[in-house]
């Protein structure tokens, strides 16, 4: 697997482009924050200001390790772009840190710093984050629908100050809150949230 020196994109690093990333297996890539520079993450795919289509890939055993910076996304990190993330499988990916209180970090599988991604028809199983969920939204307005999140550690979907639309997802048996609303205006509708270890839907200010 890859191990980038700047901690961004162990498998694929995108700046401004709109590639189609389809049918790949991302296995044992690392994003290691060795410099303390913010924005580390995306052990599988790192996207900055791009609009890629990321479809029908498997993200397996990828790891983000943070020391002092903000970041996350064992599978995918996206900032300021509008990617389509569809039909992927995320399994056994990890986010860990020397300092578990690193700011707006999180997302064992996907980390959204900004932008309006479409995240749909994906499977998230057995991923682990010390905090901040399986999918972490810092800001932006992603649409998260028709996904299955099952038996993940660290929570399901964690929103900070974004305005996501979260609908028609199934969250089952996750450790931590199923959906955490934060200070943003999340729209949460028609989800199944069951068998978690904490509150199913918590702190949602939107409808």
């Amino acid at each position: 697997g890859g191990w980038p020196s700047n901690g961004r994109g162990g498998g694929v690093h995108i700046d401004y482009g709109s590639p189609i990333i389809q049918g790949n297996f991302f296995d044992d890539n690392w994003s290691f924050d060795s410099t303390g520079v913010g924005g580390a993450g995306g052990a599988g795919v790192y996207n900055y200001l791009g609009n890629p289509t990321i479809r029908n890939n498997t993200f397996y055993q990828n790891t983000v390790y943070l020391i002092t910076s903000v970041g996350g996304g064992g599978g995918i990190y996206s900032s300021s772009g509008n990617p389509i993330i569809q039909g992927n499988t995320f399994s056994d990916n990890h986010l860990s840190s020397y300092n578990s209180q690193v700011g707006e970090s999180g997302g064992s599988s996907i980390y959204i710093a900004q932008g309006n991604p479409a995240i749909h028809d994906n499977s998230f199983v057995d991923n682990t984050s010390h905090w901040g969920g399986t999918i972490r939204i810092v800001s932006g307005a992603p649409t998260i629908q028709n996904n299955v999140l099952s038996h993940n550690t660290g929570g399901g979907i964690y929103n900070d100050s974004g305005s996501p639309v979260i609908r028609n997802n199934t969250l089952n048996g996750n450790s931590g809150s199923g959906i955490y609303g934060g200070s943003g205006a999340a729209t949460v509708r028609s989800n199944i949230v069951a068998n978690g270890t904490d509150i199913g839907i918590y702190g949602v200010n939107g409808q």
Side-chain angles (χ1 to χ4, degrees), residues 79-104:
S79 178
S80 303
N82 303 312
I84 297 171
I85 302 170
Q86 175 188 8
N88 302 283
T89 298
F90 298 83
S91 177
D92 202 23
N93 299 287
H94 302 274
L95 171 66
S96 60
S97 176
Y98 178 77
N99 175 10
S100 64
Q101 302 301 316
V102 176
E104 298 171 341

Side-chain angles (χ1 to χ4, degrees), residues 1-20:
W3 192 315
S5 60
N6 64 0
R8 299 174 180 176
V12 174
H13 185 118
I14 302 162
D15 284 333
Y16 301 96
S18 300
I20 296 173

Side-chain angles (χ1 to χ4, degrees), residues 58-138:
T58 297
F59 295 86
Y60 177 67
Q61 289 189 343
N62 301 286
T63 300
V64 174
Y65 190 87
L66 302 174
I67 298 176
T68 59
S69 76
V70 171
I76 298 170
Y77 178 112
S78 185
S79 178
S80 303
N82 303 312
I84 297 171
I85 302 170
Q86 175 188 8
N88 302 283
T89 298
F90 298 83
S91 177
D92 202 23
N93 299 287
H94 302 274
L95 171 66
S96 60
S97 176
Y98 178 77
N99 175 10
S100 64
Q101 302 301 316
V102 176
E104 298 171 341
S105 298
S108 59
S109 296
I110 297 177
Y111 181 95
I112 305 300
Q114 300 177 64
N116 306 311
I119 303 170
H120 54 96
D121 301 295
N122 302 283
S123 174
F124 303 86
V125 181
D126 292 329
N127 301 285
T128 301
S129 175
H130 290 171
W131 72 100
T134 304
I135 302 172
R136 175 65 185 263
I137 306 138
V138 176

